[in-house]
Amino acid sequence: MDQFTLNLIVIGASFALYFAIAFWARAASTAEFYAAGQGVGPVVNGMATAADWMSAASFISMAGLIAFGGYNNSVFLMGWTGGYVLLALLLAPYLRKFGKFTVPEFVGDRFYSTSARMVAVVCLIVISVTYVIGQMVGVGVTFARFLEVSTTTGLLIGSAVVFAYAVFGGMKGITYTQVAQYVVLIIAYTIPAIFISLQLTGNFLPQLGLIGSYAPSGGDVAFLEKLDTVVTELGFAAYTADTTNMFNMFLVTMSLMIGTAGLPHVIIRFFTVPKVSDARSSAGWALVFIALLYTVAPAVGSMARLNITTTFWPGAVTGSAFSAPALSIEEINTNPELAWVANWQKTGLLAFTDKNGDGLIQYFNEKKPVADAGKALADANKALAEAPADADKAALEAKVAEAQAALDAALADPANGLVEGQSLTDMGLKGNELTTVNNDIMVLANPEIAKLPGWVIALVAAGGLAAALSTAAGLLLAISSAISHDLIKGALKPDISEKGELLAARLSMAAAIVLATWLGLDPPGFAAQVVALAFGLAAATIFPVLMMGIFSTRITKEGAILGMLVGLFSTAIYIFLYLGWFFIPGTNMLPNTPDAHFLGISPAGFGPIGALLNFAVAYIVSSMTKAPPQDVQDLIQSIRVPKGAGAAQAH
Amino acid sequence: MADKTSSNAYWAANIRVIVISMVVWFACSFGLGILLRPALSGIHIGGADIGFWFAQNGAIYVFLVLIFAYAAKMNKLDKEHGVEE
């Protein structure tokens, strides 16, 4: 059976399962639509939260980010798990005791103000919409790769699937579908990881493989030491090298942690459990299921990095990279075990050119002078090729010749070489020939690189789709409940009937899917930037306002509203200054380089600063305004003790 | 709702548990994983230095233990102060 048929069968079977669950668990009331009737056990909720939380970015991209970023990208591992400690300790139990359906509803009641509730609705929608676009793009890309359709068709199929089960099932349908999606994605992630760990380190558990010894050279070298040796020999930074900006690494980790705790689609999952004590333990269960993937990811990343490097430098398996010739093009074209190279080349995620014409693909890291000169030459060639017929060809040709001479000089300079005392020219090299290795390939092509059977490849496809779909569904629910429950019932039409609100919830979910699909068809040129914005804003708006609402009795509505606005605008503006206004390329007012960053703070690390500004403004304004009224003081006292949560108020 | 003095004592005890837990949370991730990594680079866990291991795996295990320990401690406090569900 060919790979395409296998993919169709495995993906089709997983979708049939999701639809069956959604039909069985369809929502019949608003309580079921928004909070699954508050009858989900802590373990089941933990599993659903894990699927809700682990997006296309966690499943497909994170291992690749770690593979090429090494120690520096540990920020994602700590940041995206440490947030659950904050959720369990600071937010989840109290919000569950509050016993209503949405995050803005808590803000509105605690800060006795519809305006505060509406500001929270705006923050929630900005955060969730930016986040959901990335998921829709992930769905489109995964479908396109594994079902051999265009990205647009892939996106439309994905939207139709989410539509079918999220609109009818609501939170209840989504919860049980997410449980099934979790099972699919964790199996898909760990099976290739176990095989690869066995191949490279002889350890069954990838977590032990990471700190184990490297098996192919006899086992007397640690795996990480081997990886460091191989990548530094090829001119890359050592895998375990320390960060060059500890302050920024600290801030980015903090931003991801408090951002995680402030993401509305994660918080609302804790409204579905029956008791306050369940909310605490459910955060722990969520982290158990998340940790199953997150502790494996660094092994997947580092092992895939070594595998792809030794594929191109077969000599590096047991000795020095240069002890044997690099991989030849002939080998790529004839060896069936290397068919994946050509497959992924078609998608553009992997690209190579034989610059020195020796029939081999030499993969290494060019030092900056060589990389810059190579880019200048490519630009000069492009200008010549695109010049109109009447242009001054001679001048353009002179520029190309000048750029070529500069590149030759850089290549001949021993300071830019890979081996002490030898220039790249001495080694017969004209530059790095593996010109593109996309991060995502580290997970998507992992089973092929490790020569695993076809059904594992199909499973990875189904797992990637499960991760993207489950997160998209959770986000769409957060958006639709903010619109139907907070905006329509809370402000515009308070006398709406139960039936009317359920219909409004379904319609706003449908509208949110259409919007997300439309934005996903033409994403404004980002991906990673959007994540920075979503986490930064969640960290600077939702997390501080919820925490102050629970832990302080003195913060007033004026303080909360101004605090949220300051957090929202300061963070958004700081990010837009470096990444372009609304991410439109070319509109950034400062270059996004470490030198230009204010105090070395990268846009992704601004969340904690925005949160501090939010706390400070809220505190100062509250101390100047009238204390909250008695009924709010009573509300705060009541959410602080678990007693009485069983009789959750419906409205 | 429980009477005011007992719920005040409960809240103070809760805050104490939270503060201790947050110290652990900070120490295992930001402390060992980032700030102290250069100072502790001589200590190894298997093939990784201790800072690298905490940043990529260890902190997550500590987070897990921490949440369940917090949940258990709070269940006990709930009972002691008579505010359990």
Side-chain angles (χ1 to χ4, degrees), chain A residues 72-213:
Chain A
N72 268 297
N73 281 344
S74 308
V75 294
F76 299 110
L77 296 165
M78 289 185 285
W80 286 342
T81 54
Y84 281 85
V85 177
L86 300 178
L87 263 176
L89 266 50
L90 304 177
L91 302 181
Y94 314 105
L95 294 177
R96 171 61 193 87
K97 174 63 197 296
F98 175 66
K100 293 195 186 172
F101 298 142
T102 69
V103 171
E105 193 172 17
F106 173 77
V107 175
D109 283 11
R110 162 61 184 84
F111 296 105
Y112 48 100
S113 152
T114 308
S115 311
R117 189 171 177 179
M118 290 308 120
V119 174
V121 168
V122 171
C123 295
L124 182 150
I125 289 178
V126 173
I127 294 165
S128 304
V129 168
T130 46
Y131 211 107
V132 81
I133 299 168
Q135 304 310 312
M136 299 316 276
V137 174
V139 171
V141 170
T142 318
F143 267 117
R145 166 65 185 92
F146 291 101
L147 295 184
E148 296 173 26
V149 293
S150 74
T151 312
T152 307
T153 315
L155 180 56
L156 294 176
I157 300 175
S159 309
V161 173
V162 177
F163 190 94
Y165 73 80
V167 171
F168 296 100
M171 183 60 117
K172 195 174 164 202
I174 288 173
T175 300
Y176 294 104
T177 323
Q178 281 173 337
V179 170
Q181 284 162 335
Y182 175 78
V183 174
V184 171
L185 80 86
I186 201 67
I187 293 174
Y189 203 83
T190 41
I191 285 182
I194 289 170
F195 276 108
I196 293 168
S197 177
L198 278 170
Q199 284 172 0
L200 287 183
T201 67
N203 276 302
F204 179 76
L205 288 177
Q207 290 90 338
L208 294 179
L210 179 69
I211 55 170
S213 51

Side-chain angles (χ1 to χ4, degrees), chain A residues 466-610:
Chain A
L469 290 173
S470 58
T471 307
L475 286 160
L476 291 165
L477 184 83
I479 297 169
S480 76
S481 60
I483 293 173
S484 62
H485 194 64
D486 295 309
L487 197 62
I488 296 177
K489 186 173 168 72
L492 300 177
K493 203 166 179 290
D495 57 345
I496 192 167
S497 68
E498 154 88 14
K499 241 181 155 171
E501 193 189 341
L502 189 57
L503 180 66
R506 290 199 160 115
L507 288 178
S508 42
M509 169 101 68
I513 294 175
V514 173
L515 176 72
T517 309
W518 179 66
L519 290 170
L521 284 175
D522 187 19
F526 44 74
Q529 292 96 316
V530 163
V531 175
L533 184 71
F535 280 89
L537 290 183
T541 59
I542 306 274
F543 178 79
V545 79
L546 294 180
M547 197 184 152
M548 290 185 292
I550 295 161
F551 287 87
S552 164
T553 54
R554 187 61 185 81
I555 300 294
T556 64
K557 65 177 174 189
E558 294 86 356
I561 293 172
L562 283 170
M564 277 193 283
L565 290 175
V566 166
L568 176 68
F569 283 104
S570 63
T571 309
I573 289 172
Y574 191 82
I575 292 173
F576 288 155
L577 277 178
Y578 291 100
L579 300 177
W581 294 91
F582 304 97
F583 302 113
I584 298 165
T587 60
N588 55 323
M589 298 166 83
L590 294 164
N592 187 25
T593 55
D595 300 336
H597 291 154
F598 178 67
L599 297 176
I601 303 167
S602 68
F606 194 79
I609 313 287

Side-chain angles (χ1 to χ4, degrees), chain B:
Chain B
M1 214 176 91
D3 66 278
K4 205 163 166 65
T5 36
S6 117
S7 79
N8 278 348
Y10 169 76
W11 187 245
N14 180 16
I15 298 285
R16 214 158 37 240
V17 178
I18 289 176
V19 169
I20 296 168
S21 307
M22 299 277 293
V23 169
V24 176
W25 162 80
F26 187 89
C28 75
S29 50
F30 296 97
L32 291 169
I34 301 178
L35 302 174
L36 297 175
R37 183 176 183 222
L40 300 174
S41 61
I43 308 172
H44 280 73
I45 294 188
D49 66 89
I50 193 167
F52 182 89
W53 184 77
F54 266 98
Q56 301 228 323
N57 255 330
I60 300 175
Y61 300 136
V62 178
F63 294 154
L64 273 175
V65 174
L66 189 58
I67 296 180
F68 283 110
Y70 171 75
K73 179 77 191 162
M74 288 310 294
N75 286 344
K76 216 173 126 217
L77 272 184
D78 290 351
K79 284 211 182 65
E80 279 170 22
H81 291 266
V83 293
E84 81 272 28
E85 295 145 275

Side-chain angles (χ1 to χ4, degrees), chain A residues 252-336:
Chain A
V252 174
T253 308
M254 187 66 93
S255 185
L256 296 177
M257 280 195 192
I258 57 183
T260 298
L263 284 177
H265 72 285
V266 176
I267 296 173
I268 57 172
R269 287 237 46 98
F270 294 93
F271 296 166
T272 66
V273 294
K275 293 192 301 180
V276 173
S277 59
D278 293 336
R280 296 181 194 126
S281 66
S282 193
W285 283 111
L287 191 55
V288 167
F289 296 117
I290 292 167
L292 282 177
L293 189 147
Y294 272 59
T295 55
V296 168
V300 171
S302 54
M303 290 173 192
R305 174 89 183 267
L306 187 62
N307 264 340
I308 202 157
T309 312
T310 55
T311 301
F312 284 89
W313 290 103
V317 173
T318 48
S320 149
F322 306 122
S323 64
L327 183 68
S328 69
I329 297 178
E330 198 199 337
E331 177 93 15
I332 294 174
N333 292 333
T334 53
N335 186 344

